[in-house]
Amino acid sequence: MFGPTTNGIGCGESGVMQVRRRTLAKLLLVVFVGNLVVMGAGAWYSYQQAPPIPQEFVGPDGETVVTGEQIREGKTVFQSDALMNHGSILGNGAYFGSDYTADALDRKMQYMQAYYAEQRYGAAYGDLSGAEQAAVDSLVEEDLASTDTTAPVEYSAAEVYAHQQVRADYVERYHEGSREHGLPEGTIESADDARRFADFALWTAWISHTERPGTDHTYTNDWPYAPLAGNEPTAGTMTWSVVAMVLLVAGAGIGVWLYKSVELPEPETTGVSVPHPDDIDLLPSQRAATRFIPIGAALFLAQVLLGGLLAHYYVERGGFFGLGELLGVDVLGILPFALAKTYHIDLGVVWIAALWLGAGLFLPPLLTGTEPSNQKRYVHALIGALLVVVVGGFAGIWLGANGYIDGPLWWIIGNEGLEYLEVGRLWQFGLLAGFVFWAGLVARGFKPLLDREQPYGLAHMILYAGGSIALLFTAGLFYTPQTNIVVTEFWRWWVVHMWVEGAFEFFIVAIVGITLVSMNLLKRRSAEKAVMFEALFVMGSGVIGVSHHYWWIGQPDVWIPFGSVFSTLELIPLVLILFEALNEYRALATAGESFPYSLPFAFIIASGVWNFVGAGVLGFFINLPIINYYEHGTYLTVGHAHAAMFGAFGFLALGMVTYMLRIAVDPGQWNPKRLKWAFWLWNVGLAVMVFGSVLPVGFLQLETAFTANYDAARSLAFYNRDLIQLLFWARMPGDTLLILGTVVFAYDTVKQRFALRETSVPSSIPGSSVVSSRVLPEDD
């Protein structure tokens, strides 16, 4: 156990390292400032090094081929028509359609081959001999190796021809529609808009084959893999992969050493007086907070149903088990993949956030034994605001994606069209205001505890974690549809990655710590040390670790060493979280049947295990630079994302729901049977989906990228292979179990919500309840 020292860090008689909470707090502050300095300098440098959008591209005779303004208009089309949730750009987005960068580059090369074959030999490229094809390839490679980045950029005649042909292809596919690609007619409203989108995609292809001045690699560090364009892994990619492997071994060893050297507090159930739910009073604001549960359950159910539809689109791209033809309904036209994917992602974020918000409001009265005046009313106001933002944001997405919001308002109140940040800017401000309002309510509820503890206390940690989620969300406000996509992606990943790898992980360790304290399984001071210790490594590695998302999107190669080192070091806190989960399992195993919180405990354990598997094992594998070069934007990322997002963050939210219901439901009507069924349906379903379908597809994509090129791994021809289709069907059992688990959960939460106990009148004196009488008097 931690013990006092004179210098902050020292060793006890047993050789175990002892650390003071104040020292950990200072270290956490140093890490926070260091992150700001590094990422602030990185933001400035990234702006300076962003690839140019030349004012004009011209042909050999000086005729204008495309202008910078047309390229920017193409980015607007890309966002307004939600194309990032159909395919991907620079590897980021959805994996159902093509990667537009790789597709545009591959088409450009093919049309250039056709042009030179006809010009030199008067025949199609496929009809040429091996020597003649090699001669044509040499001409194409020579054209693409241009280092000219000053406006106007001069295209060769072959490039002009290719640009015009790609435009025609994109009009045919994205405007006229292609059901075999899952694209209904009018995906892009006009032919001219489709040409602008082609211009934008071709510009990203141009930066992928054009060398960055002063370097020996392209703006995208020679990504995507396309040997004809000269795109192959750089020396830096190879070198830092080796460094990352060394750090992996070191990181695992450091994690184990820290766990053994620093005696973190472990939850104990034997010999401990655990407060029974029957003895805990339910206060009005807590009952109000449980209203978040059925809302979250409904959103969760909608998400998994859409997930099932999205999975099926991979095997039947124009319908759903033939029901469209049977009923005379155009399923693809009503709910195209891009729109369904948009809702699927946003629903996932919102239901988890809703349950976390509810848990954050439920815990303060539990630990303080009281609540401020009108807290119940304010909780209801927050629920109302959440519903307004969700309904308004989702309606805006539909209206924007279907062309009902024209002019400058499309991205303000409609669909901003960027993965994870799809809702319009107005609704984003609404979400930000909601987070701030929630933090204020949590602070009001925790005030008796905040007044008694140091700034590094548990209640403060909850506020810091929640506040960091809101603070990072503001990075999504630093760009507009006219901003260079490379800069846009820089800030988008600030929100997405730093939420997932930083703020969310911080929130997990804080909420688990405070929950164990409320169960009397940990002392408050011990939990504070454990939370700060884990948060130190989470924030120390996870924030700068965002840089692994910058390797192939047009950012300078300085991010490769940063991303390699800090992404690998993210393993250290995950090792600690895994040990924590194992300790919790031991505590649960010895608790006996009388322990009233076995089921919430099981969810917390599952969250820790899936966190290690999804974010740790799968996350490290795909973030090894040489692997990421080939797998970026493949199904391996899908496996990582589902295991980490639902496995880690979803299970924690569901565990907190179970804990809230265990306390709030009338003791005579509490029945955990259905929730236990849901728990196992989810765990087995997720394992079947990830390991039986998603990851095998990803490994086969990786093989195709190795042996052919990246565009081939993302092509319709790859997805239509018999083995791949079989693996897509193999996902159905896992998806079915996940859906069944969610149906059971949704039914149970609604039923249990109508079986809540009567509320008690809040005491005017903090510390008068069974939990708060133990927590508040602890000497700080």
Side-chain angles (χ1 to χ4, degrees):
M1 191 67 67
F2 291 99
T5 64
T6 56
N7 60 353
I9 300 178
C11 290
E13 294 180 1
S14 63
V16 174
M17 188 183 300
Q18 298 174 325
V19 187
R20 295 178 61 191
R21 289 175 298 158
R22 188 181 300 275
T23 302
L24 286 171
K26 291 177 180 178
L27 289 173
L28 196 55
L29 180 61
V30 169
V31 166
F32 177 76
V33 173
N35 284 335
L36 285 182
V37 171
V38 172
M39 296 308 298
W44 173 84
Y45 186 67
S46 295
Y47 267 94
Q48 302 302 312
Q49 299 295 316
I53 301 178
Q55 185 176 351
E56 191 177 28
F57 287 80
V58 299
D61 299 329
E63 75 278 14
T64 298
V65 178
V66 62
T67 66
E69 183 58 32
Q70 288 175 322
I71 293 169
R72 293 184 181 88
E73 290 174 6
K75 178 176 180 276
T76 298
V77 173
F78 165 73
Q79 289 186 225
S80 63
D81 289 319
L83 291 169
M84 196 175 197
N85 275 324
H86 183 272
S88 57
I89 196 78
L90 294 165
N92 292 325
Y95 311 141
F96 180 69
S98 304
D99 178 78
Y100 308 121
T101 302
D103 178 65
L105 177 61
D106 193 68
R107 288 174 183 275
K108 181 177 181 178
M109 291 188 297
Q110 289 183 27
Y111 283 123
M112 291 174 69
Q113 287 174 322
Y115 178 88
Y116 280 124
E118 179 64 33
Q119 183 194 60
R120 293 297 179 92
Y121 303 105
Y125 179 81
D127 296 334
L128 302 182
S129 67
E132 290 169 338
Q133 286 185 348
V136 168
D137 290 348
S138 178
L139 293 171
V140 172
E141 190 168 355
E142 183 179 343
D143 283 353
L144 296 179
S146 170
T147 59
D148 180 19
T149 60
T150 57
V153 173
E154 185 173 335
Y155 268 170
S156 68
E159 288 179 291
V160 173
Y161 171 76
H163 195 109
Q164 293 168 341
Q165 294 304 118
V166 174
R167 277 178 170 171
D169 287 350
Y170 275 41
V171 169
E172 181 180 357
R173 178 178 294 185
Y174 296 101
H175 171 58
E176 296 175 7
S178 173
R179 296 190 75 83
E180 68 171 352
H181 289 90
L183 290 162
E185 182 180 352
T187 296
I188 295 180
E189 187 174 4
S190 71
D192 193 52
D193 282 349
R195 295 186 189 97
R196 297 293 78 80
F197 173 52
D199 293 336
F200 170 62
L202 282 161
W203 173 78
T204 66
W206 176 76
I207 68 173
S208 77
H209 69 69
T210 300
E211 285 194 0
R212 183 184 290 273
T215 72
D216 60 354
H217 54 76
T218 70
Y219 282 100
T220 59
N221 294 310
D222 287 349
W223 187 91
Y225 177 56
L228 181 58
N231 282 9
E232 296 181 344
T234 65
T237 299
M238 300 294 292
T239 301
W240 285 102
S241 296
V242 175
V243 173
M245 288 298 294
V246 174
L247 286 174
L248 170 66
V249 179
I254 290 170
V256 174
W257 172 77
L258 284 170
Y259 173 74
K260 296 294 185 181
S261 299
V262 180
E263 190 175 348
L264 294 177
E266 300 179 6
E268 287 287 345
T269 58
T270 56
V272 175
S273 176
V274 177
H276 197 277
D278 297 3
D279 301 325
I280 300 175
D281 292 331
L282 182 69
L283 300 189
S285 69
Q286 290 179 299
R287 186 184 178 96
T290 63
R291 295 184 186 277
F292 281 96
I293 297 174
I295 294 172
L299 296 172
F300 185 17
L301 181 58
Q303 189 213 9
V304 295
L305 291 174
L306 283 174
L309 174 65
L310 292 171
H312 187 73
Y313 271 149
Y314 277 88
V315 296
E316 188 182 356
R317 290 187 169 240
F320 186 71
F321 291 102
L323 290 178
E325 296 180 3
L326 180 66
L327 301 175
V329 176
D330 183 7
V331 177
L332 184 65
I334 295 173
L335 199 58
F337 186 94
L339 186 59
K341 174 77 166 14
T342 298
Y343 285 140
H344 178 70
I345 288 177
D346 288 355
L347 284 166
V349 173
V350 173
W351 78 256
I352 291 174
L355 298 183
W356 281 8
L357 293 177
L361 294 168
F362 188 89
L363 289 172
L366 187 63
L367 270 72
T368 63
T370 186
E371 64 180 42
S373 60
N374 295 317
Q375 185 81 340
K376 172 184 173 181
R377 181 180 302 173
Y378 293 142
V379 171
H380 284 150
L382 179 61
I383 292 172
L386 173 68
L387 291 174
V388 168
V389 171
V390 170
V391 173
F394 280 21
I397 287 173
W398 189 87
L399 292 170
N402 285 279
Y404 290 104
I405 304 177
D406 293 323
L409 291 179
W410 69 266
W411 65 283
I412 300 296
I413 62 175
N415 171 40
E416 190 166 357
L418 296 172
E419 190 181 32
Y420 290 102
L421 301 174
E422 287 89 353
V423 297
R425 189 61 56 89
L426 174 66
W427 311 111
Q428 291 181 26
F429 275 110
L431 289 171
L432 182 60
F435 271 118
V436 174
F437 186 31
W438 171 83
L441 294 182
V442 173
R444 291 181 88 235
F446 272 132
K447 190 175 187 307
L449 188 54
L450 292 170
D451 290 343
R452 286 169 167 78
E453 68 179 20
Q454 297 290 335
Y456 45 76
L458 266 184
H460 284 82
M461 287 293 173
I462 292 290
L463 289 175
Y464 297 154
S468 64
I469 294 174
L471 180 63
L472 290 172
F473 195 58
T474 61
L477 309 177
F478 291 170
Y479 52 79
T480 71
Q482 286 70 45
T483 303
N484 187 315
I485 185 64
V486 175
V487 176
T488 298
E489 284 296 274
F490 178 88
W491 290 117
R492 186 179 73 88
W493 280 116
W494 262 56
V495 179
V496 177
H497 174 96
M498 292 191 199
W499 264 3
V500 173
E501 306 287 352
F504 282 10
E505 295 282 5
F506 187 7
F507 190 86
I508 280 181
V509 297
I511 205 77
V512 169
I514 207 165
T515 301
L516 295 178
V517 168
S518 70
M519 294 178 183
N520 198 23
L521 304 182
L522 283 180
K523 295 294 185 182
R524 178 161 56 88
R525 286 173 294 168
S526 298
E528 287 167 357
K529 291 179 183 179
V531 168
M532 281 190 288
F533 189 77
E534 292 184 15
L536 178 65
F537 288 96
V538 165
M539 303 303 288
S541 59
V543 173
I544 300 177
V546 68
S547 48
H548 70 247
H549 293 290
Y550 299 155
W551 293 342
W552 325 122
I553 66 168
Q555 291 289 344
D557 64 345
V558 68
W559 292 115
I560 293 181
F562 275 106
S564 301
V565 171
F566 284 91
S567 292
T568 305
L569 292 179
E570 288 179 42
L571 182 67
I572 295 176
L574 293 173
V575 168
L576 296 176
I577 289 173
L578 177 63
F579 274 122
E580 180 184 348
L582 294 175
N583 290 332
E584 289 159 354
Y585 175 76
R586 293 191 192 100
L588 180 60
T590 59
E593 295 183 2
S594 62
F595 182 59
Y597 306 113
S598 296
L599 192 54
F601 224 52
F603 275 100
I604 292 173
I605 294 167
S607 172
V609 172
W610 279 110
N611 202 354
F612 180 77
V613 172
V617 177
L618 299 179
F620 170 79
F621 172 70
I622 68 170
N623 288 331
L624 194 67
I626 188 60
I627 298 297
N628 194 262
Y629 177 83
Y630 291 99
E631 82 76 36
H632 179 50
T634 68
Y635 250 58
L636 290 174
T637 304
V638 175
H640 155 70
H642 281 80
M645 187 70 178
F646 176 57
F649 308 131
F651 270 112
L652 177 68
L654 296 167
M656 295 311 301
V657 165
T658 309
Y659 184 50
M660 293 164 65
L661 289 175
R662 184 66 185 92
I663 293 173
V665 171
D666 184 276
Q669 300 187 60
W670 167 250
N671 184 354
K673 184 175 181 179
R674 284 184 293 269
L675 288 176
K676 288 179 180 179
W677 271 102
F679 174 83
W680 288 112
L681 287 168
W682 284 325
N683 274 282
V684 175
L686 183 60
V688 170
M689 183 189 78
V690 171
F691 297 109
S693 174
V694 172
L695 288 182
V697 172
F699 281 116
L700 290 170
Q701 276 187 297
L702 186 63
E703 179 188 43
T704 302
F706 282 153
T707 56
N709 59 38
Y710 179 77
D711 185 61
R714 289 287 305 276
S715 66
L716 184 61
F718 171 83
Y719 286 135
N720 283 342
R721 286 165 52 181
D722 290 342
L723 178 58
I724 301 303
Q725 287 292 300
L726 179 63
L727 288 170
F728 284 148
W729 279 110
R731 178 173 171 173
M732 180 177 285
D735 285 355
T736 302
L737 292 176
L738 287 168
I739 293 171
L740 286 175
T742 309
V743 170
V744 171
F745 170 74
Y747 170 77
D748 187 73
T749 53
V750 172
K751 186 177 179 63
Q752 303 258 32
R753 182 64 181 67
F754 286 102
L756 299 186
R757 68 174 72 186
E758 293 298 321
T759 59
S760 303
V761 178
S763 171
S764 60
I765 304 174
S768 57
S769 69
V770 64
V771 175
S772 62
S773 62
R774 175 182 51 79
V775 174
L776 287 183
E778 275 195 40
D779 183 17
D780 206 59

